[in-house]
Amino acid sequence: MSGRQVQGSNVSNLTVFLTRLKGKSMKLFAVMLVSLLVFVACTPVLQDDPFVFATDAASVYKRVDRSAMPAVATAVITSKDAYNAANPVDDANLMFATEIVTNVNGLHEALDDDLTGLNLVPCNVNTTDPFNIETSTCINQAAPLVVPDTLKIDTTAAAGFPNGRQPADPVMDVTLAVVLLELGATGNGQNVTSLVGVLNPAENDKAFLGSFPYLAAPHAAN
Amino acid sequence: MKRKLFLLISVVLVGLTTVGFFAFAADHSEAPATKADNAADIADFYAWHEGDKLVTILTYAGLQATTANQAATYNEDVLYTINIDNTGDNEADLNVNVRFGKNSKGDWGIQVENLPGTSELVVGPVETTIDAGNGLSVFAGLRDDPFFFDLEGFNETLKTGTVSFNNERDSVAGLNVSSIVLEMNLAETKGSGDSLNVWATSARK
Protein backbone atom coordinates (compact mmCIF):
# COMPACT_ATOMS: atom_id res chain seq x y z
CA MET A 1 0.00 0.00 0.00
CA SER A 2 1.35 3.42 -0.88
CA GLY A 3 2.32 5.62 2.07
CA ARG A 4 1.44 8.72 0.13
CA GLN A 5 -1.59 10.71 1.45
CA VAL A 6 -4.40 10.30 -1.01
CA GLN A 7 -6.05 13.67 -1.61
CA GLY A 8 -9.70 13.53 -2.51
CA SER A 9 -13.02 12.44 -1.07
CA ASN A 10 -13.42 10.17 1.92
CA VAL A 11 -15.51 7.87 -0.27
CA SER A 12 -12.70 7.26 -2.68
CA ASN A 13 -10.28 6.62 0.18
CA LEU A 14 -12.74 4.15 1.62
CA THR A 15 -13.15 2.40 -1.72
CA VAL A 16 -9.42 2.00 -2.04
CA PHE A 17 -9.26 0.60 1.48
CA LEU A 18 -12.05 -1.86 0.88
CA THR A 19 -10.73 -3.19 -2.40
CA ARG A 20 -7.43 -3.96 -0.78
CA LEU A 21 -8.90 -6.09 2.04
CA LYS A 22 -8.10 -9.74 1.87
CA GLY A 23 -10.82 -12.31 1.89
CA LYS A 24 -14.56 -12.19 1.26
CA SER A 25 -15.54 -12.39 4.97
CA MET A 26 -13.27 -9.52 5.83
CA LYS A 27 -14.86 -7.39 3.11
CA LEU A 28 -18.37 -8.34 4.13
CA PHE A 29 -17.58 -7.46 7.73
CA ALA A 30 -16.13 -4.11 6.74
CA VAL A 31 -19.02 -3.20 4.47
CA MET A 32 -21.53 -3.94 7.23
CA LEU A 33 -19.54 -1.95 9.76
CA VAL A 34 -19.26 0.99 7.41
CA SER A 35 -22.95 0.95 6.53
CA LEU A 36 -23.88 0.93 10.20
CA LEU A 37 -21.56 3.84 10.92
CA VAL A 38 -22.94 5.78 7.95
CA PHE A 39 -26.48 5.11 9.15
CA VAL A 40 -25.66 6.34 12.65
CA ALA A 41 -23.88 9.41 11.34
CA CYS A 42 -26.65 10.39 8.95
CA THR A 43 -29.73 9.73 11.06
CA PRO A 44 -30.73 12.59 13.37
CA VAL A 45 -33.10 10.26 15.22
CA LEU A 46 -30.25 8.27 16.65
CA GLN A 47 -28.03 11.31 17.09
CA ASP A 48 -30.21 13.44 19.39
CA ASP A 49 -33.74 11.93 19.26
CA PRO A 50 -35.88 15.06 18.83
CA PHE A 51 -39.55 15.33 19.77
CA VAL A 52 -41.83 15.30 16.72
CA PHE A 53 -44.77 17.68 16.68
CA ALA A 54 -47.68 18.18 14.30
CA THR A 55 -46.98 20.99 11.85
CA ASP A 56 -50.57 21.71 10.81
CA ALA A 57 -51.59 25.35 11.00
CA ALA A 58 -53.88 26.26 13.89
CA SER A 59 -56.74 26.82 11.42
CA VAL A 60 -56.75 23.10 10.58
CA TYR A 61 -57.79 22.13 14.10
CA LYS A 62 -61.47 21.98 15.07
CA ARG A 63 -62.55 23.68 18.32
CA VAL A 64 -63.35 21.42 21.25
CA ASP A 65 -63.47 23.58 24.37
CA ARG A 66 -62.96 27.10 25.68
CA SER A 67 -62.55 28.41 29.17
CA ALA A 68 -61.89 31.64 31.02
CA MET A 69 -64.27 32.80 33.76
CA PRO A 70 -64.72 29.93 36.21
CA ALA A 71 -68.11 28.21 36.27
CA VAL A 72 -69.79 30.46 33.70
CA ALA A 73 -70.27 27.64 31.21
CA THR A 74 -71.33 25.30 34.02
CA ALA A 75 -73.79 27.57 35.83
CA VAL A 76 -75.41 30.02 33.43
CA ILE A 77 -75.04 28.53 29.96
CA THR A 78 -77.52 26.00 28.56
CA SER A 79 -76.31 25.62 24.96
CA LYS A 80 -72.91 24.21 25.96
CA ASP A 81 -71.80 22.90 22.54
CA ALA A 82 -72.67 26.15 20.78
CA TYR A 83 -70.93 28.04 23.59
CA ASN A 84 -67.69 26.07 23.26
CA ALA A 85 -67.65 26.64 19.52
CA ALA A 86 -68.16 30.38 19.92
CA ASN A 87 -65.73 33.14 20.90
CA PRO A 88 -65.66 36.12 23.27
CA VAL A 89 -66.60 38.48 20.45
CA ASP A 90 -69.86 36.48 20.13
CA ASP A 91 -70.46 36.83 23.87
CA ALA A 92 -69.99 40.58 23.58
CA ASN A 93 -72.52 40.59 20.74
CA LEU A 94 -75.00 39.08 23.21
CA MET A 95 -75.24 35.70 21.47
CA PHE A 96 -75.87 34.01 24.82
CA ALA A 97 -77.50 36.90 26.68
CA THR A 98 -80.98 35.41 26.77
CA GLU A 99 -79.95 32.15 28.39
CA ILE A 100 -77.61 33.89 30.84
CA VAL A 101 -80.43 36.16 32.01
CA THR A 102 -82.87 33.25 32.14
CA ASN A 103 -80.50 31.13 34.22
CA VAL A 104 -79.53 33.95 36.61
CA ASN A 105 -83.22 34.72 37.17
CA GLY A 106 -83.84 31.00 37.66
CA LEU A 107 -81.12 30.84 40.34
CA HIS A 108 -82.82 33.67 42.18
CA GLU A 109 -86.27 32.17 41.96
CA ALA A 110 -84.89 29.09 43.71
CA LEU A 111 -82.53 30.70 46.19
CA ASP A 112 -83.73 34.16 47.24
CA ASP A 113 -85.78 32.90 50.17
CA ASP A 114 -82.79 30.82 51.35
CA LEU A 115 -80.48 33.83 51.08
CA THR A 116 -82.84 35.98 53.10
CA GLY A 117 -83.07 33.21 55.65
CA LEU A 118 -79.28 33.32 55.92
CA ASN A 119 -79.49 37.07 56.64
CA LEU A 120 -78.12 37.89 53.20
CA VAL A 121 -79.61 40.50 50.89
CA PRO A 122 -80.18 39.12 47.37
CA CYS A 123 -79.73 41.43 44.39
CA ASN A 124 -82.85 42.49 42.59
CA VAL A 125 -84.26 40.66 39.60
CA ASN A 126 -86.91 42.30 37.40
CA THR A 127 -88.84 39.28 36.15
CA THR A 128 -91.21 41.35 34.00
CA ASP A 129 -88.39 43.26 32.31
CA PRO A 130 -85.33 41.06 32.87
CA PHE A 131 -83.05 42.80 30.37
CA ASN A 132 -83.60 46.19 31.93
CA ILE A 133 -80.30 46.45 33.73
CA GLU A 134 -81.39 49.67 35.46
CA THR A 135 -83.97 47.78 37.47
CA SER A 136 -82.25 44.42 37.43
CA THR A 137 -79.26 44.87 39.72
CA CYS A 138 -78.34 41.19 39.40
CA ILE A 139 -77.90 41.49 35.65
CA ASN A 140 -76.16 44.84 36.13
CA GLN A 141 -73.65 43.20 38.48
CA ALA A 142 -73.23 39.87 36.71
CA ALA A 143 -73.05 41.01 33.08
CA PRO A 144 -69.63 42.72 33.16
CA LEU A 145 -68.20 39.75 35.05
CA VAL A 146 -69.35 36.98 32.72
CA VAL A 147 -69.82 38.74 29.39
CA PRO A 148 -67.63 38.26 27.43
CA ASP A 149 -66.17 35.07 28.88
CA THR A 150 -62.60 36.25 29.33
CA LEU A 151 -60.26 36.89 32.24
CA LYS A 152 -59.91 40.64 32.34
CA ILE A 153 -56.56 41.97 33.54
CA ASP A 154 -55.85 45.57 34.51
CA THR A 155 -52.07 45.54 34.70
CA THR A 156 -52.02 48.82 36.64
CA ALA A 157 -54.05 47.38 39.54
CA ALA A 158 -53.25 44.62 42.03
CA ALA A 159 -53.83 41.06 40.80
CA GLY A 160 -56.66 39.12 42.41
CA PHE A 161 -59.95 37.75 41.05
CA PRO A 162 -61.78 39.29 39.28
CA ASN A 163 -58.66 41.16 38.14
CA GLY A 164 -57.21 38.08 36.46
CA ARG A 165 -57.27 34.77 38.30
CA GLN A 166 -54.57 33.29 40.53
CA PRO A 167 -54.64 29.70 41.80
CA ALA A 168 -55.47 30.70 45.39
CA ASP A 169 -58.34 33.08 44.53
CA PRO A 170 -61.72 31.86 45.93
CA VAL A 171 -63.40 32.35 42.57
CA MET A 172 -66.60 30.39 43.14
CA ASP A 173 -67.68 32.30 46.23
CA VAL A 174 -66.77 35.62 44.60
CA THR A 175 -68.74 34.75 41.45
CA LEU A 176 -71.73 33.59 43.47
CA ALA A 177 -71.68 36.82 45.47
CA VAL A 178 -71.71 38.90 42.29
CA VAL A 179 -74.57 36.88 40.81
CA LEU A 180 -76.69 36.49 43.96
CA LEU A 181 -76.08 39.33 46.42
CA GLU A 182 -76.89 43.03 46.44
CA LEU A 183 -73.47 44.64 46.44
CA GLY A 184 -74.52 48.26 46.13
CA ALA A 185 -75.57 50.78 48.76
CA THR A 186 -78.65 48.85 49.82
CA GLY A 187 -76.67 45.67 50.33
CA ASN A 188 -75.95 46.20 54.02
CA GLY A 189 -72.19 46.27 53.55
CA GLN A 190 -72.05 43.14 51.42
CA ASN A 191 -69.16 42.95 48.96
CA VAL A 192 -67.53 40.45 46.59
CA THR A 193 -65.92 38.60 49.51
CA SER A 194 -69.12 38.20 51.55
CA LEU A 195 -69.51 34.54 50.60
CA VAL A 196 -65.84 33.53 50.74
CA GLY A 197 -65.53 30.48 52.98
CA VAL A 198 -69.28 30.58 53.64
CA LEU A 199 -70.49 28.44 50.76
CA ASN A 200 -67.26 26.77 49.55
CA PRO A 201 -63.89 25.93 51.11
CA ALA A 202 -61.76 29.07 51.25
CA GLU A 203 -58.57 27.37 50.10
CA ASN A 204 -57.08 24.45 48.17
CA ASP A 205 -56.34 21.08 49.76
CA LYS A 206 -52.60 21.57 49.09
CA ALA A 207 -50.58 24.77 49.48
CA PHE A 208 -49.45 26.43 46.25
CA LEU A 209 -45.71 26.81 45.60
CA GLY A 210 -45.54 30.60 45.42
CA SER A 211 -43.11 30.36 42.52
CA PHE A 212 -42.88 28.58 39.16
CA PRO A 213 -44.64 26.25 38.33
CA TYR A 214 -47.00 27.54 41.06
CA LEU A 215 -49.20 24.41 41.27
CA ALA A 216 -48.49 21.87 43.99
CA ALA A 217 -46.92 18.51 43.19
CA PRO A 218 -49.45 15.76 42.37
CA HIS A 219 -51.00 13.56 45.05
CA ALA A 220 -49.34 10.15 45.17
CA ALA A 221 -51.28 6.89 45.15
CA ASN A 222 -51.85 5.39 48.59
CA MET B 1 -12.35 -19.80 13.16
CA LYS B 2 -11.64 -16.18 12.23
CA ARG B 3 -13.92 -16.50 9.22
CA LYS B 4 -16.84 -17.73 11.37
CA LEU B 5 -16.36 -14.88 13.85
CA PHE B 6 -16.40 -12.29 11.10
CA LEU B 7 -19.52 -13.87 9.65
CA LEU B 8 -21.26 -13.78 13.02
CA ILE B 9 -20.38 -10.15 13.59
CA SER B 10 -21.54 -9.30 10.09
CA VAL B 11 -24.92 -10.91 10.70
CA VAL B 12 -25.31 -8.99 13.98
CA LEU B 13 -24.43 -5.73 12.28
CA VAL B 14 -26.88 -6.39 9.46
CA GLY B 15 -29.51 -7.10 12.10
CA LEU B 16 -28.79 -3.88 13.97
CA THR B 17 -28.85 -1.85 10.80
CA THR B 18 -32.17 -3.36 9.75
CA VAL B 19 -33.76 -2.78 13.14
CA GLY B 20 -32.42 0.75 13.11
CA PHE B 21 -34.00 1.44 9.75
CA PHE B 22 -37.37 0.04 10.86
CA ALA B 23 -37.36 2.12 14.04
CA PHE B 24 -36.62 5.18 12.00
CA ALA B 25 -39.42 4.40 9.59
CA ALA B 26 -41.90 3.50 12.33
CA ASP B 27 -45.02 5.56 12.57
CA HIS B 28 -44.67 7.92 15.54
CA SER B 29 -48.37 8.42 16.06
CA GLU B 30 -49.75 6.18 18.76
CA ALA B 31 -53.04 4.30 18.68
CA PRO B 32 -56.00 6.48 19.73
CA ALA B 33 -55.79 6.92 23.49
CA THR B 34 -58.81 5.96 25.54
CA LYS B 35 -58.78 9.47 26.95
CA ALA B 36 -58.86 11.11 23.53
CA ASP B 37 -61.53 13.62 24.38
CA ASN B 38 -60.22 14.05 27.88
CA ALA B 39 -57.06 15.61 26.50
CA ALA B 40 -59.02 18.51 25.02
CA ASP B 41 -61.32 18.96 28.00
CA ILE B 42 -60.17 22.15 29.71
CA ALA B 43 -60.69 22.11 33.47
CA ASP B 44 -59.63 25.62 34.50
CA PHE B 45 -57.76 28.62 33.20
CA TYR B 46 -55.69 31.03 35.31
CA ALA B 47 -54.00 34.24 34.18
CA TRP B 48 -52.43 37.00 36.26
CA HIS B 49 -49.73 39.62 36.10
CA GLU B 50 -46.77 39.43 38.46
CA GLY B 51 -43.79 41.77 38.17
CA ASP B 52 -42.73 41.89 34.52
CA LYS B 53 -44.54 38.66 33.67
CA LEU B 54 -47.95 37.42 32.59
CA VAL B 55 -48.45 33.91 33.97
CA THR B 56 -51.05 31.57 32.47
CA ILE B 57 -52.02 28.12 33.69
CA LEU B 58 -54.27 25.84 31.66
CA THR B 59 -55.43 22.67 33.37
CA TYR B 60 -57.14 19.87 31.47
CA ALA B 61 -58.22 16.23 31.82
CA GLY B 62 -59.22 17.05 35.37
CA LEU B 63 -60.49 15.12 38.37
CA GLN B 64 -57.80 12.49 37.81
CA ALA B 65 -57.67 10.01 40.68
CA THR B 66 -54.25 8.95 41.97
CA THR B 67 -52.75 5.69 40.66
CA ALA B 68 -49.34 4.05 40.69
CA ASN B 69 -47.29 5.09 37.63
CA GLN B 70 -49.64 8.04 37.09
CA ALA B 71 -48.94 10.56 34.38
CA ALA B 72 -50.51 13.58 32.72
CA THR B 73 -52.51 13.17 29.51
CA TYR B 74 -50.75 14.00 26.24
CA ASN B 75 -52.15 13.83 22.71
CA GLU B 76 -50.36 14.75 19.46
CA ASP B 77 -53.59 15.81 17.74
CA VAL B 78 -54.69 18.44 20.25
CA LEU B 79 -53.82 22.14 20.07
CA TYR B 80 -54.07 24.29 23.21
CA THR B 81 -54.16 28.05 22.67
CA ILE B 82 -53.86 31.00 25.04
CA ASN B 83 -55.70 33.84 23.31
CA ILE B 84 -54.77 37.41 24.22
CA ASP B 85 -56.73 40.52 23.22
CA ASN B 86 -54.74 43.66 23.98
CA THR B 87 -56.85 46.20 22.07
CA GLY B 88 -60.15 45.73 23.90
CA ASP B 89 -62.20 44.43 20.97
CA ASN B 90 -62.45 40.85 22.31
CA GLU B 91 -60.62 39.48 19.28
CA ALA B 92 -57.30 37.71 19.84
CA ASP B 93 -54.23 39.74 18.93
CA LEU B 94 -51.81 37.07 20.12
CA ASN B 95 -52.20 33.28 19.97
CA VAL B 96 -49.81 31.19 22.04
CA ASN B 97 -50.05 27.63 20.67
CA VAL B 98 -49.05 24.54 22.62
CA ARG B 99 -48.57 21.10 21.11
CA PHE B 100 -47.30 17.79 22.48
CA GLY B 101 -45.17 15.27 20.59
CA LYS B 102 -42.97 12.23 21.18
CA ASN B 103 -39.40 11.21 20.38
CA SER B 104 -38.43 7.77 19.10
CA LYS B 105 -38.29 6.39 22.66
CA GLY B 106 -41.89 7.43 23.28
CA ASP B 107 -40.99 10.25 25.69
CA TRP B 108 -43.36 13.21 25.51
CA GLY B 109 -42.22 16.76 24.84
CA ILE B 110 -43.97 20.15 24.71
CA GLN B 111 -43.67 22.81 22.01
CA VAL B 112 -44.77 26.41 22.59
CA GLU B 113 -45.23 28.71 19.61
CA ASN B 114 -45.45 32.54 19.82
CA LEU B 115 -44.61 32.81 23.53
CA PRO B 116 -44.46 36.60 24.10
CA GLY B 117 -40.89 37.46 25.05
CA THR B 118 -39.26 34.70 23.01
CA SER B 119 -38.46 34.69 19.30
CA GLU B 120 -38.17 30.94 18.73
CA LEU B 121 -40.19 27.82 19.39
CA VAL B 122 -39.80 26.65 22.97
CA VAL B 123 -39.30 22.87 23.07
CA GLY B 124 -38.45 20.50 25.89
CA PRO B 125 -39.46 17.39 27.82
CA VAL B 126 -42.61 17.31 29.93
CA GLU B 127 -42.42 17.18 33.72
CA THR B 128 -39.44 19.56 33.50
CA THR B 129 -39.09 23.30 34.09
CA ILE B 130 -37.91 24.50 30.67
CA ASP B 131 -35.88 27.70 30.37
CA ALA B 132 -37.61 29.56 27.53
CA GLY B 133 -35.00 32.32 27.56
CA ASN B 134 -35.41 35.93 28.62
CA GLY B 135 -36.09 34.84 32.22
CA LEU B 136 -39.24 32.93 31.26
CA SER B 137 -40.15 29.34 32.13
CA VAL B 138 -42.46 26.70 30.66
CA PHE B 139 -43.79 23.54 32.32
CA ALA B 140 -46.24 20.79 31.41
CA GLY B 141 -47.10 17.87 33.65
CA LEU B 142 -49.25 16.25 36.29
CA ARG B 143 -50.06 18.47 39.29
CA ASP B 144 -52.44 18.61 42.22
CA ASP B 145 -55.74 19.92 40.80
CA PRO B 146 -55.73 23.56 42.00
CA PHE B 147 -59.51 23.97 41.89
CA PHE B 148 -61.39 23.94 45.22
CA PHE B 149 -65.18 23.82 45.17
CA ASP B 150 -68.12 21.96 46.71
CA LEU B 151 -69.45 20.58 43.43
CA GLU B 152 -71.82 18.20 45.19
CA GLY B 153 -73.30 21.07 47.16
CA PHE B 154 -73.64 23.15 44.01
CA ASN B 155 -75.48 20.39 42.11
CA GLU B 156 -77.71 19.70 45.11
CA THR B 157 -78.50 23.42 45.29
CA LEU B 158 -79.55 23.51 41.66
CA LYS B 159 -81.59 20.33 41.99
CA THR B 160 -83.47 21.17 45.16
CA GLY B 161 -83.64 24.96 44.95
CA THR B 162 -82.26 25.10 48.47
CA VAL B 163 -78.77 26.32 49.38
CA SER B 164 -76.92 23.05 50.03
CA PHE B 165 -73.23 24.02 50.11
CA ASN B 166 -70.83 22.62 52.70
CA ASN B 167 -67.71 24.75 53.15
CA GLU B 168 -65.81 21.76 54.52
CA ARG B 169 -66.36 19.67 51.41
CA ASP B 170 -63.89 20.14 48.53
CA SER B 171 -65.00 17.86 45.70
CA VAL B 172 -61.62 18.29 44.02
CA ALA B 173 -59.42 17.45 47.04
CA GLY B 174 -56.95 14.63 46.57
CA LEU B 175 -57.27 14.68 42.79
CA ASN B 176 -54.72 15.52 40.11
CA VAL B 177 -54.89 17.29 36.75
CA SER B 178 -52.74 17.80 33.64
CA SER B 179 -51.30 21.29 33.45
CA ILE B 180 -49.56 23.71 31.08
CA VAL B 181 -47.82 26.57 32.90
CA LEU B 182 -46.42 29.45 30.80
CA GLU B 183 -44.63 32.65 31.72
CA MET B 184 -44.70 35.50 29.21
CA ASN B 185 -43.05 38.88 29.10
CA LEU B 186 -45.87 41.22 30.20
CA ALA B 187 -44.68 44.16 28.11
CA GLU B 188 -44.73 41.98 24.98
CA THR B 189 -48.36 40.98 25.61
CA LYS B 190 -49.63 44.54 25.91
CA GLY B 191 -50.89 46.50 22.95
CA SER B 192 -51.96 50.12 23.03
CA GLY B 193 -53.20 50.12 26.64
CA ASP B 194 -52.68 48.49 30.02
CA SER B 195 -55.56 46.00 29.86
CA LEU B 196 -55.71 42.45 28.59
CA ASN B 197 -58.54 40.01 27.93
CA VAL B 198 -57.31 36.41 28.04
CA TRP B 199 -58.97 33.06 27.41
CA ALA B 200 -58.01 29.44 26.63
CA THR B 201 -59.22 27.19 23.83
CA SER B 202 -58.56 23.59 22.82
CA ALA B 203 -58.92 22.10 19.36
CA ARG B 204 -58.33 18.78 17.68
CA LYS B 205 -57.21 17.78 14.17
Side-chain angles (χ1 to χ4, degrees), chain B residues 56-98:
Chain B
T56 66
I57 300 179
L58 193 167
T59 62
Y60 63 97
L63 305 179
Q64 179 173 332
T66 59
T67 56
N69 305 317
Q70 59 191 3
T73 301
Y74 305 112
N75 191 292
E76 295 154 323
D77 296 332
V78 177
L79 180 76
Y80 306 89
T81 303
I82 312 303
N83 306 271
I84 301 174
D85 159 37
N86 58 25
T87 58
D89 63 354
N90 296 308
E91 302 261 25
D93 300 293
L94 300 169
N95 293 303
V96 184
N97 294 315
V98 176

Side-chain angles (χ1 to χ4, degrees), chain B:
Chain B
M1 208 30 197
K2 250 191 191 178
R3 192 164 294 180
K4 274 190 180 163
L5 185 60
F6 285 136
L7 221 47
L8 176 65
I9 292 170
S10 306
V11 167
V12 169
L13 286 174
V14 167
L16 282 176
T17 312
T18 312
V19 166
F21 271 117
F22 276 127
F24 181 61
D27 188 355
H28 285 287
S29 59
E30 59 179 13
T34 51
K35 287 185 174 185
D37 291 317
N38 209 21
D41 187 359
I42 300 175
D44 282 281
F45 180 58
Y46 303 81
W48 74 97
H49 63 295
E50 185 167 311
D52 63 351
K53 294 179 185 165
L54 176 72
V55 186
T56 66
I57 300 179
L58 193 167
T59 62
Y60 63 97
L63 305 179
Q64 179 173 332
T66 59
T67 56
N69 305 317
Q70 59 191 3
T73 301
Y74 305 112
N75 191 292
E76 295 154 323
D77 296 332
V78 177
L79 180 76
Y80 306 89
T81 303
I82 312 303
N83 306 271
I84 301 174
D85 159 37
N86 58 25
T87 58
D89 63 354
N90 296 308
E91 302 261 25
D93 300 293
L94 300 169
N95 293 303
V96 184
N97 294 315
V98 176
R99 295 172 176 84
F100 291 108
K102 291 186 292 187
N103 62 14
S104 70
K105 293 204 292 290
D107 303 322
W108 285 99
I110 178 175
Q111 177 196 78
V112 186
E113 179 189 10
N114 304 328
L115 190 71
T118 63
S119 53
E120 293 174 357
L121 289 177
V122 179
V123 179
V126 296
E127 296 292 351
T128 311
T129 292
I130 299 166
D131 178 6
N134 211 5
L136 306 172
S137 297
V138 163
F139 172 89
L142 193 69
R143 291 272 114 179
D144 163 52
D145 195 324
F147 195 39
F148 46 102
F149 178 49
D150 178 13
L151 179 63
E152 291 169 59
F154 178 72
N155 288 332
E156 192 66 19
T157 301
L158 293 180
K159 196 173 89 173
T160 62
T162 306
V163 174
S164 311
F165 286 95
N166 177 353
N167 64 1
E168 291 181 352
R169 181 171 54 198
D170 177 2
S171 308
V172 190
L175 299 173
N176 296 324
V177 74
S178 299
S179 70
I180 298 168
V181 186
L182 307 175
E183 287 183 332
M184 308 173 197
N185 182 279
L186 185 64
E188 296 288 323
T189 66
K190 294 204 284 188
S192 39
D194 293 315
S195 296
L196 301 170
N197 295 310
V198 199
W199 66 101
T201 51
S202 68
R204 173 182 289 283
K205 71 176 183 85

Side-chain angles (χ1 to χ4, degrees), chain A residues 49-215:
Chain A
D49 203 6
F51 299 110
V52 176
F53 303 97
T55 55
D56 310 73
S59 54
V60 164
Y61 294 75
K62 192 164 178 289
R63 170 76 59 79
V64 176
D65 202 359
R66 68 156 161 145
S67 181
M69 286 298 290
V72 167
T74 312
V76 297
I77 295 296
T78 318
S79 322
K80 296 194 194 295
D81 288 334
Y83 193 73
N84 283 333
N87 293 300
V89 70
D90 302 313
D91 304 335
N93 287 330
L94 304 180
M95 186 180 281
F96 302 97
T98 310
E99 57 191 82
I100 291 174
V101 170
T102 304
N103 287 316
V104 168
N105 289 348
L107 274 172
H108 278 277
E109 229 182 277
L111 299 180
D112 276 0
D113 51 348
D114 286 64
L115 295 171
T116 313
L118 290 166
N119 291 324
L120 295 166
V121 180
C123 50
N124 178 57
V125 162
N126 185 338
T127 49
T128 52
D129 193 7
F131 285 90
N132 185 339
I133 61 174
E134 300 284 317
T135 58
S136 219
T137 55
C138 294
I139 302 303
N140 195 20
Q141 282 174 191
L145 189 73
V146 306
V147 177
D149 192 354
T150 60
L151 289 179
K152 297 138 190 85
I153 298 176
D154 174 359
T155 63
T156 65
F161 187 78
N163 186 13
R165 179 189 181 187
Q166 301 164 115
D169 292 337
V171 298
M172 298 311 292
D173 285 337
V174 169
T175 302
L176 287 166
V178 171
V179 172
L180 295 176
L181 301 183
E182 171 63 59
L183 303 180
T186 57
N188 295 335
Q190 292 174 149
N191 58 47
V192 295
T193 64
S194 292
L195 293 178
V196 172
V198 173
L199 297 182
N200 288 288
E203 56 188 25
N204 192 40
D205 58 329
K206 261 198 172 195
F208 296 110
L209 303 182
S211 63
F212 195 90
Y214 305 99
L215 301 188

